[in-house]
Amino acid sequence: MTENTQTPSSPTSELPTTYAPAEVEGKLYERWVERGYFEADAKSEKPAYTIVIPPPNVTGSLHLGHAFQHTLMDALTRRKRMQGYESLWLPGMDHAGIATQNKVEQQLAEEGKSRHDLGREEFTDRVWKWKEEYGGKILGQMRRLGDGVDWSRERFTMDEGLSKAVQTIFKRLYDDELIYRAERIINWCPRCLTAISDIEVEYQDDAGELVSIRYGEGEDSLVVATTRAETMLGDTAVAVHPDDERYAHLIGKRIKLPLTDRTIPVVADTHVDPEFGTGAVKVTPAHDPNDFAIGQRHDLQSLTVMDEHGVITVHGPFLGLDRFEARSAIVGALREQGRIVAEKRPYMHSVGHCSRCKTTVEPRLSMQWWVKVGPLAQAAGDAVRDGRVKIHPEDMSKRYFDWVDNMHDWCISRQLWWGHRIPIWYGPEGQVVCVGPDEQPPTGEGWTQDADVLDTWFSSGLWPFSTLGWPERTPDLEKFYATDVLLTGHDIIFFWVARMMMFGLYAMDGVAPFHTIALTGLVRDEFGKKMSKSNPNAVDPLDWMDKYGSDAVRFTLAKGANPGADVPIGEDWVQASSKFANKIWNATRFALMNGATIEGELPPVERLSATDRWILSRLNKTVAQVDGYYEDYQFSKLSEALYHFAWDEVFDWYVELSKTTFFAGGEQAQVSGRVLGEVVDVMLRLLHPIVPFVTETLWTTLTGGESLVIADWPKDSGFRDEAAETEIASVQSVITEVRRFRKEQGLQDGQKVPARLDLGATALGAHEAAIRQLLRLQPEGDSFSATATLPVAGGTVALDLSGTIDVAAERKRLTKDLGAAEKEKQQAEAKLGNEAFIAKAPDNVVDKIKGRLAKAEADIARLQAQLDGLPAA
């Protein structure tokens, strides 16, 4: 257990009668920051514990997903700091290339301008100003949530240090021939006017059209089907399977391409599935990745027929039409020529959309920069396979391996102006020079820098080490790399996690960027539906924080955090967590008013009552349990354990059972006051990482300590008292049974009832005063008449219900319930005795019936005891 011999000053006078989060949270957080509690010292001899924040976009604001993950990361780093680690939680933001550029372009559009009106330099200056004015809103919201981040180390993916890191790793990868330039099919967004990677494409079923078109004439013709008729203008072949006898006579021949003056060859390629459709496919190498591969194998020409806006650039009648307008026009023209064999609309099929602006993506042949991911992805997979990096929960490993083991080369160039510009210069004689951060770019007439910028994920992939000063061997890098855990959503395994693994292992000599990848689910509404700004179920966590306090939001999120599973959350649950915070507040005030103290050593065991020994035993078990859950990232289970220990065992049982002791005063009250002080002290320490504000206020009042942020984490002393736990369990059983009986009789909670307690020679007798007080049981008196007798653990409780219940009506009700329970028992026994049924029924069905039988038998025993306890009618 912990020791604390500081003397509190005027404890209860410092606490208002009710807890008002708004009056506490902001002041407390600023005090923590001003005192430097969250700042990590690279020179410290303490062991390091490091988490780097998944950098939110500079365009963003705090949503429930951020609040969820930040709560868990904050809990981890706060606990480790209390355990004596040099705990660093490093904050920062991502420049979010496409998203941020879109924001500023929208502003310009409102002014009637485009970025081209400003030019590149003036436009990027405008984006930097936007970032300073509007960006970083989320950082202020992080303070509201209580994020214990080291603000002195805040980073931005385009600050000077990180820009140097980007240029350094680009140069190294280029020199190692792991970055190259090539013309390939990429995903192009005609709205954002840039290439986007495969993982930035979202697929959804769209209602399109499937048209079957006859190519060629007479016997030298075949039919192809397509959902993108507009691309036929760029067809340079038709492909069939080499073993398809239907088209054997056409292979090697040229046929007429409708609507054009061109003929195209029929080629044989094993990629074609002869069983699908007509077994013949049109080949458009410049506008389809599969077709591009066929074109490469057969040395076909690649004809680009659309510009970057998705506008047709060839063939007179369709020149200048938008791709979707051209689709209708081309189908219409083919129909007039009798070339349309079949049409199906609507035809539901999967279509790629830009994840940022939702525009339909266009596959497009383009010259881009690429990362050769083969060796990098291999290393990223091996680091998990050989145990250097653990994925939690383990069953998420499959998703990780599915990605890294099948990763395609990564297109890293983006046709934007906001971002890290590619450090490549082109010379007048075709020279290509990659320039490192400490090198001077070539000068002279005709030298130009590549106009593209790097994919945002390229710079954020360096985050775990670039934020610590790499490529320099800084004290921060030496102390805090590798980071301990990456806690992030399973939805960005592909976007971010794999990138960091590849770059970290490459740049840091085979040392992975983190020891553990702890994957969370996504926050959903209380019905399990995805939250979205376009849906009415989206929630601004600041609204809930304003209404219920940050602790309530944090506790709700942590309580729902099962590893890898989605987290449903509703306002009712936040309200319940707010009640929990208030319960902690009120119960701690009661404890302080009744002598709870942390002064001096705990009394020796022989001076402790059974109730004292019980709560100390439960306290140590809870410490051990919570530690185990933290190490396994079981936030939901540890939150539940803390909730039930605090509310049920401390407040509802220990405090209530000890009231008679406190009210009586004397030496035993002092002993129990010290025990209660110890329990509340440790309980507040355990709760602090999840609910830091209310616990800080109460703990500093109770102990006089400086701050829970820098207090010691509780340790399990090993104290256990199973006998006391058994004894108090019997007391709880008596109280629970009588309370249930009172409720069944319709007695009010505060209604007093005369009673005789026959607790035999058991230890229960020592608790009679507490039992009577909690159950509102008066002494029996001279006129006592036992109208009901209840069998309880270790004895009986006889109650005089004269004048409080209608005995005849109660007997009738109990008899009816008893009959129903006996019928349920008979039905369950009949099913379980049916061998044919048992042989066929699934195990879970049999188990359910066994459970019904056990419940029926328990109900019969309970009801019969209540009937026996009633006086004769």
Side-chain angles (χ1 to χ4, degrees):
M1 304 304 294
T2 58
E3 292 183 11
N4 191 324
T5 58
Q6 299 181 67
T7 304
S9 58
S10 306
T12 52
S13 64
E14 297 178 18
L15 293 176
T17 55
T18 56
Y19 178 50
E23 297 176 12
V24 171
E25 295 177 349
K27 295 176 183 176
L28 264 187
Y29 187 82
E30 292 310 315
R31 186 188 308 161
W32 291 333
V33 173
E34 288 168 6
R35 293 182 178 180
Y37 292 153
F38 305 137
E39 293 182 15
D41 182 3
K43 297 178 182 179
S44 169
E45 294 183 0
K46 297 178 182 178
Y49 184 81
T50 316
I51 294 179
V52 291
I53 203 168
N57 288 349
V58 70
T59 59
S61 61
L62 191 71
H63 56 65
L64 275 174
H66 288 123
F68 169 55
Q69 292 176 359
H70 288 202
T71 294
L72 306 188
M73 286 184 278
D74 195 32
L76 290 171
T77 50
R78 283 179 183 269
R79 172 175 173 263
K80 285 296 184 180
R81 187 179 295 110
M82 294 173 75
Q83 286 183 312
Y85 287 78
E86 197 62 37
S87 189
L88 170 62
W89 186 18
L90 193 149
M93 294 181 294
D94 194 293
H95 66 280
I98 295 177
T100 307
Q101 178 158 321
N102 281 347
K103 288 281 188 183
V104 178
E105 288 196 87
Q106 288 169 12
Q107 279 190 341
L108 289 174
E110 292 172 2
E111 301 171 14
K113 299 177 181 177
S114 74
R115 60 178 161 131
H116 300 285
D117 294 323
L118 274 64
R120 184 168 194 144
E121 185 174 351
E122 188 177 345
F123 177 78
T124 53
D125 287 343
R126 176 80 174 251
V127 181
W128 274 107
K129 289 177 182 177
W130 184 93
K131 182 259 179 185
E132 296 303 321
E133 185 175 355
Y134 297 102
K137 176 183 177 183
I138 196 169
L139 300 179
Q141 295 169 332
M142 287 165 58
R143 300 171 98 92
R144 282 289 312 278
L145 189 64
D147 285 4
V149 296
D150 185 346
W151 292 110
S152 71
R153 286 178 166 85
E154 180 190 337
R155 303 306 299 267
F156 179 54
T157 50
M158 283 185 61
D159 66 28
E160 184 177 351
L162 269 65
S163 295
K164 181 178 181 180
V166 168
Q167 199 170 351
T168 299
I169 202 163
F170 187 99
K171 170 73 171 173
R172 291 188 187 179
L173 289 165
Y174 181 84
D175 289 347
D176 287 344
E177 298 184 348
L178 293 173
I179 283 182
Y180 64 95
R181 193 172 186 234
E183 188 176 43
R184 293 186 178 177
I185 293 286
I186 48 91
N187 303 297
W188 180 265
C189 177
R191 160 62 184 79
C192 298
L193 296 179
T194 182
I196 58 177
S197 65
D198 291 343
I199 53 179
E200 293 170 301
V201 178
E202 295 178 347
Y203 288 89
Q204 66 183 46
D205 286 341
D206 285 359
E209 60 180 349
L210 180 68
V211 292
S212 298
I213 309 167
R214 183 172 298 281
Y215 282 26
E217 305 293 342
E219 292 184 358
D220 291 343
S221 69
L222 39 69
V223 175
V224 300
T226 181
T227 58
R228 301 170 67 217
E230 68 280 8
T231 63
M232 68 168 291
L233 301 176
D235 286 358
T236 54
V238 171
V240 297
H241 194 277
D243 298 331
D244 194 333
E245 295 181 358
R246 293 172 296 176
Y247 305 115
H249 67 290
L250 289 176
I251 294 173
K253 288 188 176 181
R254 300 185 70 86
I255 60 174
K256 179 74 185 305
L257 177 65
L259 305 182
T260 73
D261 56 3
R262 292 191 292 117
T263 60
I264 56 177
V266 176
V267 299
D269 197 283
T270 55
H271 170 76
V272 179
D273 180 1
E275 302 298 323
F276 183 77
T278 64
V281 296
K282 59 192 286 300
V283 182
T284 321
H287 292 278
D288 183 274
N290 293 322
D291 293 4
F292 178 77
I294 294 174
Q296 293 283 294
R297 289 193 289 271
H298 297 277
D299 196 25
L300 299 176
Q301 185 181 6
S302 295
L303 297 178
T304 300
V305 298
M306 275 180 264
D307 67 12
E308 65 269 26
H309 297 280
V311 173
I312 301 298
T313 58
V314 297
H315 204 71
F318 313 110
L319 181 66
L321 292 180
D322 170 82
R323 54 186 167 156
F324 300 118
E325 295 173 336
R327 181 177 299 172
S328 297
I330 286 170
V331 170
L334 291 168
R335 191 182 296 113
E336 289 180 4
Q337 292 186 7
R339 293 278 178 179
I340 300 296
V341 176
E343 298 180 65
K344 183 177 181 180
R345 65 169 66 86
Y347 177 72
M348 301 302 297
H349 63 129
S350 182
V351 178
H353 296 261
C354 174
S355 62
R356 289 177 175 83
C357 70
K358 311 309 176 187
T359 299
T360 300
V361 168
E362 192 64 44
R364 187 168 188 258
L365 186 63
S366 179
M367 183 68 75
Q368 301 286 344
W369 285 96
W370 304 79
V371 171
K372 186 185 296 183
V373 299
L376 302 175
Q378 176 70 42
D382 289 346
V384 175
R385 287 189 175 93
D386 64 25
R388 280 176 288 157
V389 178
K390 297 186 183 302
I391 293 180
H392 187 86
E394 190 175 353
D395 59 10
M396 284 284 178
S397 299
K398 184 179 183 301
R399 296 187 66 187
Y400 176 80
F401 291 131
D402 284 347
W403 179 251
V404 297
D405 292 346
N406 299 285
M407 195 182 298
H408 301 296
D409 283 3
W410 173 19
C411 177
I412 56 172
S413 46
R414 298 290 180 267
Q415 289 63 56
L416 305 171
W417 287 354
W418 173 245
H420 295 98
R421 194 164 176 181
I422 291 176
I424 294 288
W425 268 257
Y426 304 105
E429 304 300 325
Q431 306 99 313
V432 179
V433 176
C434 181
V435 178
D438 300 319
E439 300 172 349
Q440 291 296 320
T443 57
E445 186 175 350
W447 283 94
T448 58
Q449 184 178 359
D450 195 297
D452 290 350
V453 301
L454 289 163
D455 177 11
T456 295
W457 297 103
F458 189 95
S459 53
S460 59
L462 315 181
W463 189 252
F465 52 93
S466 63
T467 53
L468 296 172
W470 188 90
E472 308 301 328
R473 300 299 301 191
T474 63
D476 275 6
L477 193 66
E478 296 288 346
K479 177 73 175 178
F480 297 112
Y481 188 90
T483 68
D484 285 86
V485 60
L486 170 71
L487 192 145
T488 191
H490 60 64
D491 56 322
I492 59 171
I493 291 178
F494 320 124
F495 290 90
W496 192 44
V497 178
R499 312 288 195 216
M500 287 188 290
M501 286 287 284
M502 291 192 301
F503 283 163
L505 290 160
Y506 173 79
M508 298 301 294
D509 302 319
V511 179
F514 17 76
H515 303 306
T516 301
I517 301 169
L519 297 170
T520 71
L522 308 179
V523 176
R524 297 184 178 274
D525 71 14
E526 58 193 306
F527 304 107
K529 294 182 180 179
K530 183 178 179 180
M531 287 191 176
S532 170
K533 291 181 180 179
S534 59
N535 293 332
N537 66 349
V539 173
D540 183 345
L542 292 177
D543 292 341
W544 281 352
M545 283 188 257
D546 289 340
K547 194 171 182 180
Y548 302 109
S550 297
D551 282 335
V553 174
R554 289 170 63 111
F555 192 73
T556 305
L557 291 165
K559 204 174 179 185
N562 289 300
D566 288 347
V567 184
I569 184 172
E571 186 169 0
D572 289 349
W573 304 340
V574 183
Q575 188 175 18
S577 295
S578 175
K579 290 179 180 177
F580 178 53
N582 286 317
K583 181 77 171 180
I584 298 170
W585 182 273
N586 294 330
T588 303
R589 285 191 79 255
F590 172 85
L592 289 168
M593 289 188 293
N594 285 275
T597 179
I598 48 87
E599 293 185 50
E601 300 287 338
L602 275 173
V605 173
E606 58 269 19
R607 292 180 60 195
L608 302 177
S609 69
T611 309
D612 294 335
R613 287 183 279 113
W614 164 73
I615 196 62
L616 290 175
S617 183
R618 291 298 309 135
L619 177 65
N620 278 281
K621 285 184 177 180
T622 301
V623 171
Q625 189 178 36
V626 168
D627 277 336
Y629 287 145
Y630 262 116
E631 296 306 315
D632 199 33
Y633 303 98
Q634 297 279 0
F635 294 98
S636 178
K637 289 182 178 179
L638 74 88
S639 299
E640 287 283 354
L642 287 170
Y643 176 89
H644 289 297
F645 175 73
W647 192 304
D648 299 342
E649 296 185 310
V650 179
F651 302 144
D652 278 0
W653 284 113
Y654 181 72
V655 169
E656 294 298 320
L657 288 171
S658 300
K659 278 183 177 179
T660 53
T661 301
F662 291 133
F663 293 161
E667 182 180 345
Q668 191 57 48
Q670 292 178 352
V671 170
S672 293
R674 179 63 186 91
V675 171
L676 180 56
E678 179 77 8
V679 170
V680 173
D681 173 19
V682 174
M683 178 195 72
L684 293 173
R685 294 173 194 252
L686 291 173
L687 282 164
H688 176 73
I690 304 291
V691 285
F693 295 109
V694 67
T695 52
E696 172 86 340
T697 306
L698 294 171
W699 185 85
T700 53
T701 303
L702 169 71
T703 68
E706 181 181 345
S707 173
L708 261 178
V709 179
I710 54 172
D712 292 337
W713 181 253
K715 293 181 180 178
D716 174 13
S717 72
F719 177 78
R720 302 288 191 273
D721 194 323
E722 300 300 336
E725 291 199 38
T726 300
E727 183 175 328
I728 299 305
S730 296
V731 174
Q732 293 170 325
S733 175
V734 171
I735 293 171
T736 301
E737 185 63 30
V738 177
R739 278 178 173 166
R740 181 168 61 181
F741 181 78
R742 288 178 58 108
K743 185 176 182 180
E744 289 172 346
Q745 306 310 313
L747 298 178
Q748 298 299 315
D749 290 342
Q751 189 173 350
K752 295 182 179 180
V753 177
R756 178 190 299 131
L757 274 61
D758 180 6
L759 303 176
T762 67
L764 282 173
H767 301 279
E768 181 169 340
I771 292 171
R772 282 187 176 276
Q773 179 177 321
L774 290 176
L775 292 173
R776 305 293 191 271
L777 301 181
Q778 294 178 316
E780 52 218 72
D782 296 336
S783 60
F784 179 80
S785 173
T787 58
T789 302
L790 302 179
V792 295
T796 59
V797 175
L799 304 174
D800 183 354
L801 303 178
S802 302
T804 61
I805 65 169
D806 183 334
V807 174
E810 182 62 16
R811 182 176 293 280
K812 183 178 180 181
R813 183 184 70 81
L814 291 172
T815 301
K816 180 181 178 182
D817 290 348
L818 180 61
E822 288 173 339
K823 183 178 180 181
E824 175 72 6
K825 177 187 176 185
Q826 292 169 0
Q827 291 176 343
E829 287 177 333
K831 285 190 175 180
L832 293 174
N834 185 335
E835 294 182 1
F837 171 78
I838 295 297
K840 294 180 180 179
D843 290 344
N844 65 317
V845 173
V846 175
D847 289 342
K848 186 175 180 181
I849 296 171
K850 288 179 179 178
R852 285 170 50 193
L853 176 60
K855 182 178 182 303
E857 289 174 338
D859 288 343
I860 290 169
R862 175 177 58 82
L863 292 165
Q864 189 61 59
Q866 291 179 21
L867 275 168
D868 293 343
L870 291 175

